[in-house]
Amino acid sequence: MDKYEKVFELAKRRGFLWNSFELYGGSRGFYDYGPLGSTLKRRIEQTWREFYVIQEGFMEIECPTIGIEEVFIASGHVGGFSDPLCECVNCKEAFRADHLVQNVMEAAGTLSAEELTRVIKENEIRCPECGGEFGDAYEFNLMFKTTIGPGTGRQGYLRPETAQGMFVDFQRLSRFYRDKLPFGAVQIGKSYRNEIAPRQGVIRLREFTQAECEIFVDPRNKKHPNFERFADKELVLYSQKAQEKGESFRMTVREAVKAGVIAHEVLGYNIALTNEFLTKVGIDPAKLRFRQHLTDEMAHYAIDCWDAEIETERFGWVEIVGIADRTDYDLKAHARVSKTELYVYVEYDEPKMVTRFVVKPNMGKLGPVFKGKAKAVADALKQLSEEELSKDEIKVTVEGEELTVGSDAVDFAEETVKISGENVIPHVIEPSYGIDRIFYGIMEHAYDEENVAQKVAESGLKGAEEAEKEFEAGKDEGEAEGEEEARLVMHFTSAVAPVQVAVLPLLTRKELADPAKDIIAKLREKTLLVNYDDSGTIGRRYRRNDEIGTPYCVTVDYDTLKDGTVTIRDRDSMRQIRAPIQGIENTLYELIYRGRAFESAGKTFNF
């Protein structure tokens, strides 16, 4: 059993993840988040909000998960959001064609469906399920199509990403931020992609959660006002050149921007911010890198794009965040389809005298000739050069029709005017987070199996023999022989642990249960996530809480009734201290949120 299987076994057993529709046989690409999984996921999302909404000041919006067709025509999803599909002629199972050939060639994702068909046939690649032959590959659009309204209705789609809502709301957002660049908006919500063959747990889902930020910046100034915050932060980078050598390298953000490895300060800042977030929620820094998109995979509109990738045992390096400079592509695309100009008017520090070419259509002459098309003709004339306007018959194209305009219907000239500012179409910097993939990364990186006797001996807690006896007392009846030395523990960070404190009365007796419940009430007033557990031996309860990643356990025993103190146990070190009940809520809050040293919170007694 590899780590992936171990993580999922634990996730299902302890209520982190369950297969959706299990009662009816399930369906690939869908998972339910159980009580602990849902809490862990929400805490990841809330930490993300703390970074982007509270610290960065980008306000959150919420848009429909269903969009009208025009939105996705403008974004390019209707025409180009597809993956190459290949079906087995024998068993009819569908596969991603580029995934089928990735072991026999590099850059499989850049090949067309026709090229993939040729590679599959030349290499005699067979169906992994039944060994059958494959038919020809073809492009399969990944969006879920729906109808809005009764009858034939209006064509719509479930959104494949959260970003488009923020682009469509650009005018409103611009006014909200008083037309001052830079500004940004964030959105956390569900997106949908009809994946061909989702076979990687929550890494590839048909319904998934995205957390995206769209930062609108002045294209003439991509310096970041807080760049110094991360300028000297060292990151693991896997640039285009590094990928040619097959080796990543370490470099500070300042050095990377100065050398042109990262395009500019705003992008560098956001890559470093991503690193800060991921390590805070529990991604192992030793298994995290930032990979630059290669030239042949970089979107045609992007200046630069980097993926935060994590190393996993089964799947290797997996992308969990994308950070891209999307230029003005999205706003121009929506402006073109909606026929609405999308820009920000930026005032100069001082007015400027400029000479410019001005075109003045004569609406008095255009109106009678072109009637309802007169405005469109006038707009088309404004786009022509002086040479084109100097002809006796001027040609313009409106709604696909070529029209002829008389030279007397338009005037043009160069004139010097004083201007106070200009219209700027912002560029967009987009950090896009896959919350479900981050969830799995945290689970795998937190998962650990320890030898208890060896750990306590190395930590100086007590003798190995004593520790083994303690755990033996905590075993469930029927537990396999030889397992007494194993401890399964999830090393969740305090930022995301679904249960922060477990309160455990030593025995299920009223005189111990009552003070335990009083402690719970105090902890909940401090907004701590608390679990009460009085089932089984104390050793077994410790192990149970280790498995769900509870950072601290508080044990109420008979000494509590005598001196008003309780035992606090640290999950990772297994050390224990005695601390007074008086102020216990503040003590635990400081341990969890303020980084207080564990030994300073009470009197140690198990060294």
Side-chain angles (χ1 to χ4, degrees):
M1 185 183 290
D2 67 5
K3 184 173 278 191
Y4 173 83
E5 291 174 326
K6 290 178 180 179
V7 168
F8 261 85
E9 189 278 327
L10 171 72
K12 291 177 181 179
R13 179 165 51 83
R14 289 301 187 199
F16 286 93
L17 284 172
W18 297 321
N19 293 92
S20 297
F21 326 120
E22 200 166 25
L23 194 64
Y24 295 95
S27 179
R28 286 177 181 168
F30 298 96
Y31 276 90
D32 294 345
Y33 285 85
L36 293 179
S38 183
T39 305
L40 173 59
K41 185 165 179 274
R42 294 293 172 267
R43 298 204 69 204
I44 295 169
E45 293 170 2
Q46 190 54 40
T47 304
W48 192 88
R49 285 187 173 96
E50 289 171 9
F51 270 67
Y52 283 89
V53 178
I54 296 175
Q55 295 180 22
E56 298 299 307
F58 302 136
M59 299 300 288
E60 183 175 2
I61 67 171
E62 183 176 337
C63 303
T65 59
I66 296 176
I68 60 174
E69 186 174 37
E70 289 86 346
V71 170
F72 302 113
I73 289 173
S75 67
H77 286 95
V78 170
F81 190 63
S82 60
D83 280 338
L85 183 149
C86 208
E87 291 180 280
C88 174
V89 175
N90 184 41
C91 70
K92 309 303 180 186
E93 191 74 22
F95 296 86
R96 282 272 299 269
D98 54 335
H99 289 177
L100 290 170
V101 306
Q102 62 187 2
N103 292 329
V104 298
M105 68 172 304
E106 295 181 357
T110 64
L111 300 183
S112 66
E114 292 75 16
E115 291 169 327
L116 288 166
T117 298
R118 177 178 53 77
V119 173
I120 289 169
K121 293 185 183 302
E122 287 178 356
N123 290 273
E124 298 182 349
I125 295 173
R126 300 282 178 160
C127 174
E129 296 292 332
C130 72
E133 293 185 4
F134 282 111
D136 292 347
Y138 62 93
E139 293 297 330
F140 174 76
N141 192 287
L142 300 179
M143 284 198 296
F144 285 99
K145 187 183 292 187
T146 188
T147 302
I148 302 171
T152 56
R154 185 177 188 178
Q155 186 66 61
Y157 296 90
L158 296 184
R159 67 183 183 190
E161 62 183 19
T162 62
Q164 297 308 317
M166 289 175 275
F167 299 139
V168 172
D169 282 343
F170 171 76
Q171 286 182 311
R172 297 286 186 183
L173 286 167
S174 178
R175 282 194 282 272
F176 177 85
Y177 285 104
R178 298 182 293 280
D179 295 319
K180 300 293 185 183
L181 294 173
F183 64 82
V186 305
Q187 187 167 191
I188 300 180
K190 292 288 189 180
S191 295
Y192 307 85
R193 297 182 184 181
N194 197 10
E195 293 284 353
I196 293 168
R199 292 179 174 87
Q200 298 174 310
V202 294
I203 290 175
R204 193 168 295 278
L205 294 170
R206 290 186 167 117
E207 177 184 304
F208 55 95
T209 300
Q210 279 185 303
E212 292 191 297
C213 179
E214 308 302 329
I215 307 165
F216 300 94
V217 302
D218 191 327
R220 302 164 303 178
N221 178 19
K222 291 185 178 178
K223 289 186 175 295
H224 197 285
N226 295 324
F227 183 69
E228 288 302 316
R229 177 185 175 190
F230 294 124
D232 296 318
K233 178 67 178 178
E234 195 172 67
L235 303 175
V236 177
L237 301 178
Y238 199 35
S239 65
Q240 293 177 354
K241 289 185 178 179
Q243 289 173 66
E244 294 174 7
K245 301 176 183 177
E247 293 181 2
S248 59
F249 59 94
R250 304 186 72 88
M251 180 178 277
T252 68
V253 181
R254 190 194 309 278
E255 291 167 342
V257 172
K258 186 176 180 180
V261 176
I262 296 174
H264 49 76
E265 285 188 7
V266 179
L267 195 62
Y269 178 91
N270 280 281
I271 291 172
L273 186 65
T274 300
N275 181 82
E276 191 87 352
F277 168 79
L278 292 175
T279 53
K280 180 171 183 177
V281 296
I283 295 299
D284 184 351
K287 297 179 180 179
L288 172 64
R289 73 181 184 189
F290 291 88
R291 186 186 72 84
Q292 188 177 32
H293 281 206
L294 296 171
T295 304
D296 57 8
E297 66 176 321
M298 190 90 70
H300 66 276
Y301 50 78
I303 289 175
D304 199 4
C305 184
W306 294 76
D307 289 339
E309 295 183 330
I310 58 168
E311 189 174 19
T312 64
E313 188 174 287
R314 176 178 287 193
F315 306 113
W317 289 97
V318 173
E319 171 205 350
I320 58 172
V321 185
I323 310 106
D325 183 335
R326 298 175 63 94
T327 67
D328 55 11
Y329 170 82
D330 301 283
L331 293 181
K332 281 186 173 179
H334 284 291
R336 182 178 65 254
V337 175
S338 67
K339 296 181 173 56
T340 303
E341 292 187 41
L342 300 176
Y343 60 82
V344 172
Y345 179 75
V346 179
E347 288 191 356
Y348 298 136
D349 294 334
E350 294 182 4
K352 297 180 181 180
M353 300 300 295
V354 298
T355 300
R356 61 186 183 183
F357 182 68
V358 179
V359 179
K360 298 177 181 178
N362 188 329
M363 297 304 294
K365 293 186 177 181
L366 292 177
V369 176
F370 298 105
K371 298 183 171 38
K373 294 182 180 180
K375 184 180 183 304
V377 171
D379 290 339
L381 287 169
K382 292 177 183 179
Q383 305 304 314
L384 299 181
S385 66
E386 183 177 359
E387 181 182 353
E388 291 170 311
L389 292 167
S390 299
K391 297 176 180 178
D392 293 335
E393 289 189 343
I394 304 167
K395 304 288 186 180
V396 295
T397 301
V398 175
E399 297 176 0
E401 180 184 1
E402 187 176 75
L403 302 173
T404 301
V405 181
S407 60
D408 61 340
V410 59
D411 295 321
F412 55 90
E414 280 192 350
E415 58 183 33
T416 301
V417 295
K418 182 169 77 173
I419 60 173
S420 300
E422 64 181 291
N423 296 332
V424 172
I425 301 175
H427 282 196
V428 177
I429 313 301
E430 180 191 71
S432 176
Y433 289 69
I435 298 297
D436 306 273
R437 292 186 176 195
I438 292 170
F439 177 98
Y440 175 76
I442 291 169
M443 290 284 290
E444 180 170 314
H445 290 185
Y447 184 95
D448 195 12
E449 294 174 342
E450 295 178 345
N451 182 299
V452 176
Q454 180 181 347
K455 181 175 180 63
V456 297
E458 291 174 351
S459 301
L461 296 174
K462 58 179 72 174
E465 185 179 345
E466 242 185 296
E468 189 172 334
K469 287 178 182 176
E470 178 192 3
F471 185 73
E472 183 67 29
K475 274 201 312 176
D476 282 345
E477 191 175 344
E479 206 169 322
E481 192 67 23
E483 289 182 347
E484 66 271 9
E485 292 187 358
R487 178 174 87 122
L488 197 163
V489 58
M490 298 295 286
H491 295 286
F492 291 134
T493 66
S494 295
V496 298
V499 177
Q500 295 170 305
V501 183
V503 179
L504 320 172
L506 185 65
L507 300 172
T508 54
R509 294 180 181 174
K510 181 176 171 53
E511 62 266 29
L512 298 179
D514 285 348
K517 290 175 181 177
D518 289 341
I519 291 171
I520 287 176
K522 290 182 179 182
L523 297 178
R524 285 177 174 163
E525 284 180 6
K526 294 290 286 189
T527 68
L528 297 177
L529 294 165
V530 189
N531 180 41
Y532 178 83
D533 189 353
D534 63 1
S535 177
T537 65
I538 194 67
R540 188 57 189 163
R541 281 181 273 170
Y542 281 156
R543 296 296 177 265
R544 197 153 54 221
N545 278 283
D546 289 343
E547 283 193 351
I548 65 172
T550 306
Y552 300 103
C553 289
V554 174
T555 302
V556 178
D557 55 27
Y558 282 100
D559 285 338
T560 305
L561 305 181
K562 296 176 185 177
D563 60 13
T565 66
V566 292
T567 299
I568 303 178
R569 174 184 181 270
D570 177 66
R571 175 199 65 204
D572 294 337
S573 68
M574 296 173 61
R575 293 178 182 274
Q576 299 181 29
I577 57 173
R578 292 295 292 193
I581 292 178
Q582 185 69 31
I584 186 86
E585 67 276 19
N586 295 321
T587 299
L588 285 161
Y589 188 90
E590 289 170 6
L591 287 170
I592 291 167
Y593 287 114
R594 297 288 181 259
R596 181 175 178 177
F598 182 66
E599 289 76 9
S600 73
K603 183 180 178 182
T604 57
F605 69 96
N606 59 349
F607 285 84

